[in-house]
Amino acid sequence: MFELAPKDRMIKVFNFNPMNNELIGPSDAWVVAHTGLPAYCTLDTPPIKRKGKAVVYSDTGWKQVDDNRGVAVYDIQTGDRSTVSDLGPLPDGKTLLAPASEFDVWDGKVWVKNAEAEKAALVIKAQQDKKDRMAQAAENISILSFAKESNQATDEELEALNRWQNYRLQLSRTDLTNAPNIIWPDEV
């Protein structure tokens, strides 16, 4: 503990950040007679900083605390990535381990793939793909059908109409339950 200075003097102090008490570093401080230390400093010599730690001053002196600032962490509920901004251990609900896919779930220790969720998403994607293919076929069939019904179709257009109609029929029979390993009919 520093007692009031009996006379003006220069002393070596160790400064710390007023927001989080993290060590800033040493400096010389001018202490006027009958006053104490400037704010946010101490005479106590801090320990040498270890890798992954920060040196922080407390009521009991210097201590080393985890320093994960700038480290990428992942939310164990959502898998969302964020960056640590505060001193201390990893925030609750965060892990350093990155999920391998959007279908991974946290099991308390590691990420594991939720195969059912992945399968459901692949089927939904296949359904959208099938819908898009059906729309393209319907558009082509509509134009070619008009040409046929109005007696304006060429032989090539009549053949194309037949191919598009067969493609649409085969497409309607396509099984999507084996997504992503779907055997799509050959496009026209």
Side-chain angles (χ1 to χ4, degrees):
M1 182 171 142
F2 183 77
E3 295 182 18
L4 295 179
K7 61 181 182 172
D8 294 350
R9 66 180 173 148
M10 182 73 69
I11 58 171
K12 180 177 182 178
V13 295
F14 297 93
N15 302 289
F16 52 90
N17 184 313
M19 301 301 288
N20 63 7
N21 291 356
E22 182 180 10
L23 174 65
I24 296 172
S27 69
D28 292 327
W30 181 252
V31 179
V32 177
H34 309 293
T35 66
L37 292 176
Y40 309 111
C41 72
T42 180
L43 295 174
D44 298 341
T45 302
I48 295 172
K49 181 181 169 203
R50 297 189 321 248
K51 184 176 181 177
K53 300 285 185 178
V55 178
V56 175
Y57 193 72
S58 71
D59 293 339
T60 59
W62 292 106
K63 64 181 179 178
Q64 304 245 3
V65 298
D66 292 338
D67 186 0
N68 294 298
R69 291 174 294 184
V71 172
V73 292
Y74 301 87
D75 187 287
I76 61 174
Q77 297 298 317
T78 65
D80 292 343
R81 182 182 190 271
S82 61
T83 303
V84 177
S85 58
D86 296 323
L87 288 173
L90 291 181
D92 289 340
K94 306 288 185 186
T95 178
L96 295 172
L97 301 174
S101 78
E102 64 183 293
F103 305 106
D104 285 2
V105 292
W106 186 251
D107 77 350
K109 294 183 181 180
V110 295
W111 294 102
V112 293
K113 185 173 282 194
N114 181 338
E116 291 177 17
E118 180 180 36
K119 179 68 172 174
L122 290 170
V123 168
I124 290 170
K125 183 179 181 301
Q127 289 169 339
Q128 183 60 49
D129 193 9
K130 183 176 181 177
K131 182 179 174 183
D132 293 344
R133 291 172 188 238
M134 290 291 274
Q136 180 64 46
E139 182 179 335
N140 287 308
I141 290 168
S142 175
I143 293 167
L144 294 168
S145 291
F146 174 76
K148 179 182 177 183
E149 291 167 6
S150 66
N151 295 319
Q152 299 179 57
T154 65
D155 289 342
E156 292 169 350
E157 289 173 330
L158 292 173
E159 289 175 19
L161 174 61
N162 188 45
R163 285 193 309 271
W164 277 109
Q165 288 172 330
N166 285 331
Y167 172 72
R168 182 171 62 179
L169 176 62
Q170 295 306 313
L171 195 55
S172 71
R173 296 176 177 166
T174 301
D175 181 14
L176 304 180
T177 60
N178 200 26
N181 301 318
I182 299 170
I183 301 171
W184 294 103
D186 292 335
E187 293 186 14
V188 177

